[in-house]
Amino acid sequence: QVQLVESGGGSVQAGGSLRLSCAASGSTIGSYYMGWFRQGPGKEREGVAHIETDLKTMYADSVKGRFTISKDNAKNTLYLQMNSLKPEDTAMYYCAATRSVPWYRRLREDEYNYWGQGTQVTVSS
């Protein structure tokens, strides 16, 4: 069973950048499908980015071209590089892991079994 801890959130002005980290313990992330999710004020949690065990990636349309998901198996850490941030990116960001997920459900939160506690990202205009 894997435990996940996010870090790297903070406050930034629109157009700025942040890099989120998700440190894993208890198991190696190399064998998991990993994702980043977010929940903005008054909104449902939504999938942002996904990375396969073979490093293929998938993104929500709202972040394509601005966010990059990656992982370092040696450090057992997942990352989310966020550039050109917008006020609408303001949310609590969560990392999640699952052993398997159908390709068409890779950004669906109900497919993920393991979750971190979240890190807050606030983007001001």
Side-chain angles (χ1 to χ4, degrees):
Q1 185 169 342
V2 63
Q3 292 83 46
L4 305 171
V5 179
E6 302 93 336
S7 61
S11 296
V12 65
Q13 289 191 327
S17 298
L18 283 173
R19 188 175 82 154
L20 306 183
S21 298
C22 173
S25 61
S27 189
T28 56
I29 63 172
S31 59
Y32 287 85
Y33 296 83
M34 305 290 295
W36 284 99
F37 293 78
R38 67 185 181 186
Q39 187 167 19
K43 298 180 181 180
E44 294 186 354
R45 191 152 58 181
E46 61 175 350
V48 173
H50 168 90
I51 188 165
E52 303 273 285
T53 54
D54 61 1
L55 304 185
K56 291 179 182 175
T57 58
M58 175 184 288
Y59 297 92
D61 288 343
S62 58
V63 305
K64 277 181 184 176
R66 301 189 298 122
F67 290 12
T68 303
I69 187 172
S70 63
K71 63 177 181 174
D72 186 331
N73 288 340
K75 294 183 178 180
N76 220 26
T77 301
L78 178 74
Y79 302 100
L80 185 68
Q81 177 67 44
M82 305 186 295
N83 298 329
S84 303
L85 282 161
K86 304 175 181 180
E88 51 263 44
D89 295 318
T90 294
M92 184 72 79
Y93 283 73
Y94 301 88
C95 66
T98 183
R99 286 289 194 182
S100 66
V101 56
W103 67 268
Y104 54 91
R105 294 180 63 84
R106 286 167 184 163
L107 294 179
R108 291 288 303 266
E109 64 168 315
D110 51 356
E111 291 290 341
Y112 290 77
N113 309 109
Y114 307 101
W115 292 84
Q117 83 292 344
T119 186
Q120 178 67 38
V121 172
T122 302
V123 184
S124 58
S125 56

